[in-house]
Amino acid sequence: MKCSNNIVKWLICLIFCGLTSCSPGGSSEPKTPGANNQESVEKPGYHHSAEGFIGGRAWRYVQGKATPFRRNNKNYLEVRLWNQDYNSPCTEPMGSAYQVRIYVSYSEGSWKIDPLDPFSLIPTIIFSDYTTGVNSRSNLIADIGLITVSSLKHGRLVGSVVGQFTDSNNVGRTEVKGDFEVPVCAP
């Protein structure tokens, strides 16, 4: 009988400890996405245009476009963010030499880059440097990040992005953070 009383006391203690650790403020660990063994990723809605660095070179979003495509019976968007202005972004085949390309589902929502799934193609943030020519490019793929599409209305995509290529030893600082708004163009 004494043994079963001790077991009951331990169970009550464990349940109490478990409940208090789940309560708000009960944990000292950060609640931001990406806090597990990687730099934390902030929530979307930055109230400034996307900006950052590509291979150590400063980059700031000026214009871009989103183009729908279909793969495996699902609809996706390729979003190109440029650091230059164009008269007709939907007819612009290439865009700026330095650009951030984003791949997400064709829907509103938020998608976190999963560094533990290197084979995930969507969502993806790609930092591109086309300065060596159209046929030769340098792409760096973000290993942490968060992409948000907050609105897909009236032919416009409104969203935000934060991402980083963390192994910058050989290429320089590579990251992006901020808001963007682009037209959704016909494929």
Side-chain angles (χ1 to χ4, degrees):
M1 188 61 135
K2 199 175 200 180
C3 182
S4 65
N5 282 341
N6 285 337
I7 292 173
V8 170
K9 287 178 184 177
W10 276 104
L11 284 174
I12 291 172
C13 181
L14 287 174
I15 290 171
F16 178 76
C17 290
L19 289 175
T20 58
S21 69
C22 293
S23 67
S27 173
S28 62
E29 291 190 29
K31 302 285 187 213
T32 56
N36 299 335
N37 296 329
Q38 58 180 333
E39 196 169 306
S40 69
V41 177
E42 296 180 17
K43 289 190 174 188
Y46 304 104
H47 308 294
H48 66 80
S49 291
E51 61 187 355
F53 296 88
I54 297 177
R57 182 182 189 276
W59 178 91
R60 183 170 176 85
Y61 164 71
V62 174
Q63 192 178 54
K65 71 178 181 179
T67 308
F69 67 96
R70 193 164 175 80
R71 181 178 291 152
N72 299 327
N73 295 320
K74 294 182 182 177
N75 294 318
Y76 299 101
L77 287 167
E78 176 192 44
V79 181
R80 290 179 177 254
L81 304 179
W82 304 318
N83 64 343
Q84 290 179 300
D85 194 20
Y86 295 94
N87 289 332
S88 181
C90 285
T91 60
E92 177 58 39
M94 181 69 173
S96 60
Y98 292 94
Q99 61 183 264
V100 175
R101 291 183 293 140
I102 300 168
Y103 295 88
V104 292
S105 294
Y106 193 158
S107 62
E108 294 177 1
S110 290
W111 298 271
K112 183 180 172 188
I113 303 297
D114 185 359
L116 301 178
D117 185 4
F119 300 107
S120 175
L121 300 176
I122 297 174
T124 302
I125 303 169
I126 300 173
F127 304 93
S128 296
D129 173 0
Y130 293 102
T131 58
T132 56
V134 177
N135 295 326
S136 175
R137 62 180 173 220
S138 175
N139 288 326
L140 301 171
I141 300 173
D143 47 5
I144 61 172
L146 181 69
I147 306 162
T148 299
V149 173
S150 52
S151 176
L152 269 170
K153 296 177 184 168
H154 311 294
R156 307 285 299 169
L157 182 155
V158 177
S160 58
V161 62
V162 59
Q164 182 179 357
F165 174 74
T166 57
D167 184 19
S168 59
N169 293 334
N170 297 327
V171 296
R173 188 171 167 190
T174 301
E175 63 189 23
V176 65
K177 178 180 175 181
D179 301 325
F180 59 91
E181 181 175 346
V182 296
V184 177
C185 305

